[in-house]
Amino acid sequence: MRSTPPASRHWDRSPVLAHRARRSLQITPDGASRLRCGQSDRCRDCGNRIEWYHRSDRRPVRLHPQELPATRVPAACRWHVSSGIAHPAGDGSSWCRLPHAVLCPARDTAPAPPELAGLRRSLAVHTRRMIDAGVFTPTPASPDSSAPQPPVCRPARPIVQLLYVRYLVSRPVDEIQCVAQTRRRHRCTSPLLASDAPAGTWRLVPATATGGQLALPAEVMALHDLTGVPYAEQLRWRAQRCPQHAATPTAADLAVAGWEPFDPLHHHEHIHTRLPTPVRRPRTAGRARQAAPAVMPHHAIELALTRPATPGELRHAHSGVSLAASADRTRLMTVYSARSPASALHALRRRLGTRLPIDVLTTHYTDRHGQVLLNVALDHTADRALRQAATVLGQRPQDLLRRRVTAALAREDQERARRLEVRLESLLAHHTPEDVLACVAGLLHSHQHHPTRTAP
């Protein structure tokens, strides 16, 4: 007598595979693949539907979920999506995308172009219907603020540079808490950012990768730089102790210091491209105010001209400011008295702008952060294009220009390094590494002992 096979197998003893429902596949936004689609969401200000896309620099942007005819959208507001990446320009087709910032009825920005005024009104009507139906609740505005306040930029997880190493912090800089243990066996509640201790400064630096990694897109990021403070103060920050517990090293630590080494590839979502809003530090009662200096400081300014200045122009400019010209009369140097380097640049631009063909004004000496200030006068066409691009991106024109100049300098450094690598590869293809090193050492030795003589 033959036994009946179990129901989980066929007559030939093969297993019975249960039918499984198909699941849709999605690609995580943090993955390495560039094949991404728009992530649907709703605007927190107006409640209308939006789609999140990433730009070529991996920064997110909110786009209107529908395509519009390109003839109805101004050229400065056109976007297109290619391979899941949003680009702020048209692709030559008759359809384009539109950033939600231009249409959002809750934003107190410049009025939308006439071609888009009707679409913005329809979004405003839809927002009002959702509010009346109780589906959407807008963010309440503070009743005591009569004038619109500028948006406050305060990174939740900032990047801090100390001891020439960059770290990612788990909380804002002014909320980093001491990890030492008090006498009552509790964690110290004092912050690291003390009012009577030197503090760092916020800077915009190129967001490039280090340690042999692939370079990120040419972009800038904001970090809290503590390199300029004393070495002992940086050690105190690295140990994450307040000034009181830094003086008593015998006190135990009740928590682990929250310094995570920053990796621009893994922590790209925490990169901020704007400087945070300055916060006034608390002033202690015993701290006296410093008196204003009686004498204005002097600043060395360098003037780059668009063409060689004529002797008549130099004589006319010498009547107001003392200038030193180069041999070809394309660069000038002066020392100007002003409250700050920026004030000196603006004053020289107003004073000499009609007397000399000035192209760029720069400070001759770098500040303590190794940076120089630039004063550039744009023509009407370039200024209009810059303001339109800043309006589309929701930024100030000076911030956008600073980002573009910093990104151009970073690209130039990368291009120089790439050219050097190409030349070294061509040398190594015909010579051994030992020969190349010996030749470089000989050249450096000869330059040190026999410097190049300049013509009198």
Side-chain angles (χ1 to χ4, degrees), residues 295 358 411 452:
V295 181
I358 300 177
R411 286 196 300 268
T452 303

Side-chain angles (χ1 to χ4, degrees), residues 169-222:
V169 195
S170 59
R171 59 186 61 195
V173 176
D174 55 345
E175 296 181 3
I176 302 178
Q177 187 180 352
C178 178
V179 298
Q181 182 180 359
T182 61
R183 294 182 178 180
R184 297 189 177 184
R185 300 183 182 275
H186 297 296
R187 182 175 178 178
C188 179
T189 58
S190 300
L192 294 186
L193 187 61
S195 58
D196 54 350
T201 56
W202 286 95
R203 295 176 51 198
L204 287 176
V205 299
T208 54
T210 56
Q213 298 174 344
L214 295 177
L216 291 175
E219 191 56 80
V220 295
M221 68 176 182

Side-chain angles (χ1 to χ4, degrees), residues 236-437:
R236 181 181 72 84
W237 278 77
R238 183 62 181 86
Q240 198 167 335
R241 283 173 171 262
C242 61
Q244 291 77 13
H245 285 98
T248 57
T250 56
D253 292 342
L254 198 61
V256 181
W259 302 107
E260 181 181 357
F262 175 71
D263 190 336
L265 295 178
H266 295 163
H267 303 144
H268 61 274
E269 66 273 7
H270 301 293
I271 294 179
H272 291 263
T273 57
R274 292 174 51 194
L275 292 176
T277 304
V279 180
R280 187 180 299 274
R281 299 178 62 192
R283 183 182 298 272
T284 57
R287 188 178 179 183
R289 294 187 177 180
Q290 298 179 357
V295 181
M296 288 286 186
H298 291 76
H299 307 279
I301 307 298
E302 183 176 355
L303 298 82
L305 307 181
T306 57
R307 57 173 175 80
T310 61
E313 291 175 340
L314 290 178
R315 286 194 302 268
H316 186 52
H318 270 298
S319 61
V321 182
S322 299
L323 298 171
S326 60
D328 55 356
R329 299 195 303 274
T330 59
R331 290 183 177 273
L332 306 176
M333 283 291 300
T334 184
V335 178
Y336 199 80
S337 176
R339 293 183 179 272
S340 63
S343 301
L345 293 176
H346 285 290
L348 280 177
R349 173 71 69 175
R350 291 193 302 266
R351 194 164 186 174
L352 301 178
T354 57
R355 302 180 182 182
L356 294 173
I358 300 177
D359 184 16
V360 181
L361 292 173
T362 61
T363 54
H364 184 68
Y365 298 105
T366 59
D367 55 9
R368 62 176 183 175
H369 305 299
Q371 297 180 348
V372 298
L373 295 181
L374 280 75
N375 184 281
V376 183
L378 303 178
D379 55 3
H380 180 70
T381 304
D383 182 72
R384 182 179 179 182
L386 180 64
R387 293 184 180 276
Q388 289 179 353
T391 303
V392 173
L393 298 176
Q395 300 178 4
R396 298 186 304 174
Q398 54 267 31
D399 295 340
L400 180 60
L401 181 60
R402 184 188 301 110
R403 287 180 48 213
R404 289 184 174 179
V405 171
T406 308
L409 293 176
R411 286 196 300 268
E412 183 180 358
D413 293 341
Q414 293 179 0
E415 186 64 26
R416 291 179 58 187
R418 190 178 298 108
R419 289 197 299 265
L420 180 59
E421 292 179 358
V422 171
R423 293 181 180 179
L424 287 177
E425 289 179 356
S426 62
L427 288 176
L428 294 176
H430 300 85
H431 306 278
T432 62
E434 292 79 7
D435 296 339
V436 175
L437 289 177

Side-chain angles (χ1 to χ4, degrees), residues 13-263:
R13 310 298 296 180
S14 60
V16 177
L17 299 178
H19 176 72
R20 297 182 180 180
R22 295 183 177 181
R23 298 179 299 172
S24 59
L25 300 179
Q26 295 182 357
I27 300 178
T28 174
D30 298 333
S33 176
R34 296 175 62 91
L35 300 177
R36 305 188 185 100
C37 60
Q39 302 295 325
S40 300
D41 196 3
R42 290 189 177 272
C43 179
R44 294 180 298 177
D45 300 328
C46 65
N48 291 289
R49 297 191 62 85
I50 57 175
E51 287 185 355
W52 285 98
Y53 281 92
H54 282 82
R55 313 179 194 182
S56 57
D57 55 1
R58 296 181 178 268
R59 293 177 53 213
V61 61
R62 303 182 303 172
L63 297 183
H64 189 63
Q66 298 178 356
E67 291 185 341
L68 298 177
T71 56
R72 293 176 48 191
V73 180
C77 302
R78 297 175 186 174
W79 285 64
H80 76 277
V81 178
S82 176
S83 300
I85 305 298
H87 303 275
D91 57 349
S93 63
S94 59
W95 299 88
C96 67
R97 303 297 296 269
L98 191 66
H100 180 72
V102 182
L103 302 175
C104 184
R107 294 175 62 95
D108 297 332
T109 57
E115 300 87 350
L116 306 176
L119 182 56
R120 185 173 184 178
R121 284 196 301 268
S122 62
L123 293 181
V125 172
H126 187 254
T127 301
R128 174 54 57 186
R129 290 178 179 176
M130 289 190 296
I131 294 176
D132 296 339
V135 180
F136 170 69
T137 303
T139 304
S142 55
D144 56 345
S145 59
S146 57
Q149 300 294 333
V152 178
C153 180
R154 187 168 180 263
R157 298 195 63 184
I159 304 169
V160 177
Q161 179 171 338
L162 57 93
L163 299 175
Y164 297 99
V165 181
R166 296 176 182 177
Y167 297 96
L168 182 66
V169 195
S170 59
R171 59 186 61 195
V173 176
D174 55 345
E175 296 181 3
I176 302 178
Q177 187 180 352
C178 178
V179 298
Q181 182 180 359
T182 61
R183 294 182 178 180
R184 297 189 177 184
R185 300 183 182 275
H186 297 296
R187 182 175 178 178
C188 179
T189 58
S190 300
L192 294 186
L193 187 61
S195 58
D196 54 350
T201 56
W202 286 95
R203 295 176 51 198
L204 287 176
V205 299
T208 54
T210 56
Q213 298 174 344
L214 295 177
L216 291 175
E219 191 56 80
V220 295
M221 68 176 182
L223 59 81
H224 189 73
D225 190 10
L226 293 168
T227 309
V229 302
Y231 179 71
E233 191 69 12
Q234 297 187 49
L235 292 179
R236 181 181 72 84
W237 278 77
R238 183 62 181 86
Q240 198 167 335
R241 283 173 171 262
C242 61
Q244 291 77 13
H245 285 98
T248 57
T250 56
D253 292 342
L254 198 61
V256 181
W259 302 107
E260 181 181 357
F262 175 71
D263 190 336

